[in-house]
């Protein structure tokens, strides 16, 4: 919430979603809904990350396809090419990224190409995000780019930043630490 004090000492309170368009609001809400399942705090919308994501998405859309180099995303960047149906492309990309949970091992966590988009969505230490969608010239595809800050930390702390959905403490990791 944002609070603004007027000259007559009245306070106006705005939701942080007030200034977001429908796609931005839906993307942020979807991320925060998924993060809540993993006990991660809600993200804030970053206009600077969204502007950068828009540049990247437009560049990808202009090509009308993704190359292998495009898919070698650094941590903190997620890219998806979605069949364009003019509806909810961002949500489809977020669902696709989150579906990587099926390949993630909570008992033996590792960052991998098959799970890093999921991990980035729920990474507890991430504070803000920006996302953009650009349609290809052919109209066949939508290119979705999400940027996060701070990004996944590859130096460890996986157990503290990626919790099982619905389980606040990972019993296996607690047991393992206490026996070492």
């Amino acid at each position: 919430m944002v609070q603004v004090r007027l000259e007559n000492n009245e306070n106006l309170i705005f939701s942080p979603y007030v200034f977001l368009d429908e796609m931005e609001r839906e993307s942020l809400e979807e991320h925060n809904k998924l993060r809540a399942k993993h006990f991660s705090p809600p993200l804030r919308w970053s206009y600077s990350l969204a502007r950068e994501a828009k540049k990247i998405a437009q560049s990808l859309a202009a090509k009308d396809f993704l190359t292998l180099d495009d898919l070698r995303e650094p941590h903190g960047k997620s890219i998806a090419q979605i069949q364009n149906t003019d509806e909810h492309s961002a949500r489809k990309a977020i669902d696709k990224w989150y579906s990587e949970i099926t390949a993630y091992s909570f008992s033996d966590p590792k960052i991998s190409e098959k799970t890093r988009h999921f991990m980035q969505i729920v990474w507890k230490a991430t504070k803000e995000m920006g996302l953009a969608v650009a349609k290809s010239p052919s109209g066949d595809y939508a290119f979705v780019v999400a940027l996060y800050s701070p990004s996944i930390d590859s130096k460890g702390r996986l157990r503290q930043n990626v919790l099982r959905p619905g389980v606040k403490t990972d019993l296996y990791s607690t047991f393992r630490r206490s026996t070492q």
Side-chain angles (χ1 to χ4, degrees):
M1 296 293 182
V2 176
Q3 187 172 3
V4 177
R5 185 173 296 270
L6 301 175
E7 287 180 9
N8 63 0
N9 286 331
E10 286 185 42
N11 291 324
L12 291 179
I13 299 175
F14 296 95
S15 163
Y17 300 130
V18 167
F19 304 109
L20 301 179
D21 69 27
E22 184 180 347
M23 184 277 302
E24 293 167 340
R25 185 175 53 257
E26 180 181 90
S27 299
L28 184 60
E29 287 173 350
E30 186 67 14
H31 271 79
N32 287 336
K33 180 181 84 174
L34 295 170
R35 289 173 63 79
K37 289 181 181 184
H38 297 267
F39 305 97
S40 295
L43 296 174
R44 293 183 311 269
W45 187 260
S46 165
Y47 290 99
S48 61
L49 290 175
R51 277 191 302 277
E52 184 62 28
K54 184 175 183 176
K55 289 178 193 172
I56 296 166
Q58 289 173 334
S59 171
L60 295 170
K63 296 188 301 187
D64 211 12
F65 62 90
L66 291 177
T67 66
L68 288 176
D69 285 339
D70 296 328
L71 296 174
R72 290 189 184 105
E73 309 139 308
H75 295 314
K77 181 182 191 182
S78 295
I79 296 174
Q81 180 180 352
I82 304 293
Q83 190 75 35
N84 184 27
T85 60
D86 287 328
E87 289 187 27
H88 309 290
S89 296
R91 179 171 285 190
K92 288 177 186 174
I94 295 164
D95 290 345
K96 179 180 178 181
W97 296 327
Y98 185 79
S99 73
E100 293 176 0
I101 189 174
T102 60
Y104 188 76
S105 171
F106 289 93
S107 58
D108 186 23
K110 292 179 178 64
I111 299 172
S112 79
E113 293 298 313
K114 295 179 181 178
T115 61
R116 64 191 181 83
H117 300 106
F118 153 72
M119 292 174 67
Q120 186 62 77
I121 288 173
V122 302
W123 191 257
K124 200 172 193 173
T126 297
K127 304 292 184 214
E128 55 186 13
M129 68 163 295
L131 185 143
V133 178
K135 294 180 181 157
S136 64
S138 69
D140 292 339
Y141 299 104
F143 293 83
V144 182
V145 177
L147 299 176
Y148 304 88
S149 179
S151 64
I152 297 171
D153 177 4
S154 60
K155 293 180 179 76
R157 300 192 316 268
L158 298 180
R159 291 185 200 281
Q160 295 90 344
N161 279 286
V162 182
L163 299 175
R164 288 182 195 272
V167 179
K168 202 162 195 167
T169 302
D170 185 349
L171 183 59
Y172 178 79
S173 65
T174 305
F175 172 74
R176 208 165 157 205
R177 270 187 268 135
S178 66
T179 61
Q180 292 179 346

